[in-house]
Amino acid sequence: MLCVFGVGTSEFVIAGILPGLAGDLGVDIPTAGLLVTAYALGVVIGGPVVTIATGRISRKTLLLALMAVFIAGNILAALSPNFGILMITRVLAALTHSTFVAVGIVLAVGMAAPGKEASAVAKVSLGLNLATVLGVPLGTLIGERYDWRATFWAVAAITLLATILVAAVVSGADAPGGTAGSELKVLGNRQVQLAIAMTVLGSAGFGTVFTYISPLLTDVTGFSVDAVAVLLVLFGVGSALGSLLGGKLADRALMPAITGLLLALTLVLVLIGIAAPFQVVTAVLVFVFGVMSFAIIPGLQTRIFNAAVGAPTLALAVNISAFQLANAAGSWLGGRVVDSSFGLRWTAAAGALVTVLGLALGVIELLRDRRRSSDSEQPSGAAVLNADAAVSQ
């Protein structure tokens, strides 16, 4: 969780230190913003490639190696003499992102008690929530108090501490992952594909709204800029609680939890669009939006882990990369809605329409699971004949 906290902070904090960074390196804000795009592309491309290339390395060794590369990327970022070098260091750090989180989930699930796998996923994923709630504000504060380079030094320090803890306490993780062939074969599993599709649709629905939530809260709901900052912290708290809640629900009943939470997220998005002019109701909905947006993640990751028997790392890494692409797609869709005659308020409706597609897939999978379970409980024709013969004898 602490490693993921460092990784998440490094990804998201760039938005908070962008003005100082741009001024120091002599580039404009839009150019500096390409650092975000480059990191996202590094995550999307690096996840599958790095996972396949490192499949035969023992999981704990790989975890430590990925963290070493990530730490080096942040140290080099702090030392970058120009914008071009900084761009390269950001891509270097991003290449480790998806594989590290995927391997971390695999190890956590392997070390968890039976029936607590989704909660283990939730605890690892909680690092990303804490990165938004604590990491980004603290990293931004450090950058404002000292300079943007100090932020990267701080990220390197916290991830170094986390890496030392991994080396000291993570056990039972010496086995390598699957071969490249077995990892790639898993991507052909229908359950894996549908779980990734549900992640994409849920994430795109989230991104459609969250990208434009600040102007929605100021221009439509009428909150001040300072109030929006507080509401975003409230959202972050909700996201952290949602991860833990989603893990517990998924441990109890995996597909019912996934479909129920996708339904809840869809309803919340609809309600945000309806209640946007009302401040108190909207403030509550922002918190619930945070809870539901992140409560679905542990269950979906666990679904992929369970379906990708024997070789789950690539499937999980692809899912993490898909999350990045889906967020970008949601941002694009929200932008088109904002630029249309509908305006900001309708981004919530657009997000709900996307999320309901993920809900439809979840319902299909839930019904198929129940049908398979019912079929497995019914005795076969041969078993019935043998039972009849035994009775006759």
Side-chain angles (χ1 to χ4, degrees):
M1 183 180 69
L2 193 57
C3 284
V4 173
F5 171 78
V7 170
T9 299
S10 179
E11 177 182 8
F12 302 135
V13 78
I14 199 73
I17 61 175
L18 208 60
L21 182 154
D24 187 44
L25 296 179
V27 297
D28 57 26
I29 294 292
T31 300
L34 293 175
L35 292 170
V36 177
T37 304
Y39 191 97
L41 288 175
V43 173
V44 171
I45 297 170
V49 173
V50 173
T51 302
I52 292 173
T54 58
R56 303 309 298 164
I57 301 174
S58 69
R59 303 294 84 184
K60 182 174 179 178
T61 300
L62 177 57
L63 211 63
L64 296 173
L66 291 171
M67 273 295 92
V69 173
F70 179 80
I71 292 166
N74 281 278
I75 291 174
L76 292 172
L79 297 172
S80 296
N82 56 57
F83 182 76
I85 298 297
L86 178 60
M87 179 74 77
I88 293 171
T89 67
R90 292 295 290 162
V91 173
L92 176 65
L95 291 175
T96 68
H97 184 122
S98 289
T99 304
F100 174 81
V101 177
V103 174
I105 289 173
V106 170
L107 292 185
V109 170
M111 297 168 68
K116 298 294 183 181
E117 292 84 0
S119 291
V121 175
K123 289 173 183 175
V124 173
S125 302
L126 184 60
L128 287 176
N129 306 122
L130 294 177
T132 61
V133 178
L134 297 176
V136 172
L138 288 175
T140 302
L141 181 63
I142 290 171
E144 292 175 349
R145 183 76 179 269
Y146 301 100
D147 64 15
W148 62 271
R149 298 178 190 273
T151 301
F152 285 114
W153 282 115
V155 170
I158 194 70
T159 45
L160 176 60
L161 171 62
T163 304
I164 292 171
L165 291 174
V166 168
V169 306
V170 173
S171 60
D174 294 330
T179 63
S182 63
E183 293 280 358
L184 286 169
K185 184 178 179 180
V186 158
L187 293 180
N189 184 300
R190 184 186 57 78
Q191 287 188 9
V192 171
Q193 293 170 349
L194 287 176
I196 292 174
M198 283 187 278
T199 299
V200 167
L201 293 169
S203 302
F206 161 80
T208 302
V209 178
F210 187 72
T211 303
Y212 303 96
I213 196 167
S214 290
L216 175 68
L217 293 174
T218 54
D219 297 354
V220 178
T221 313
F223 283 111
S224 67
V225 174
D226 290 341
V228 169
V230 174
L231 289 172
L232 291 178
V233 172
L234 187 65
F235 173 91
V237 172
S239 72
L241 294 175
S243 287
L244 297 176
L245 173 65
K248 291 184 180 299
L249 291 175
D251 280 335
R252 299 174 73 174
L254 183 56
M255 278 311 301
I258 291 173
T259 52
L261 290 169
L262 283 169
L263 174 61
L265 177 58
T266 303
L267 293 176
V268 168
L269 291 175
V270 171
L271 290 173
I272 287 174
I274 294 172
F278 307 101
Q279 290 189 346
V280 175
V281 178
T282 300
V284 174
L285 288 173
V286 166
F287 173 77
V288 179
F289 179 42
V291 173
M292 295 306 163
S293 296
F294 285 84
I296 63 174
I297 294 175
L300 288 169
Q301 298 281 42
T302 304
R303 177 73 171 182
I304 291 172
F305 183 90
N306 291 342
V309 179
T313 312
L314 178 60
L316 289 168
V318 168
N319 195 50
I320 294 163
S321 297
F323 179 85
Q324 295 277 349
L325 286 174
N327 250 335
S331 298
W332 175 86
L333 175 61
R336 303 292 72 75
V337 174
V338 172
D339 289 339
S340 72
S341 59
F342 293 105
L344 277 165
R345 190 172 175 181
W346 282 86
T347 56
L353 286 174
V354 175
T355 306
V356 81
L357 297 176
L359 171 62
L361 292 180
V363 171
I364 292 171
E365 280 294 272
L366 177 61
L367 294 175
R368 281 177 173 167
D369 282 359
R370 288 181 174 175
R371 192 178 306 119
R372 281 192 294 266
S373 177
S374 176
D375 291 343
S376 66
E377 290 173 359
Q378 293 178 359
S380 65
V384 171
L385 289 174
N386 291 336
D388 288 343
V391 171
S392 298
Q393 291 174 357

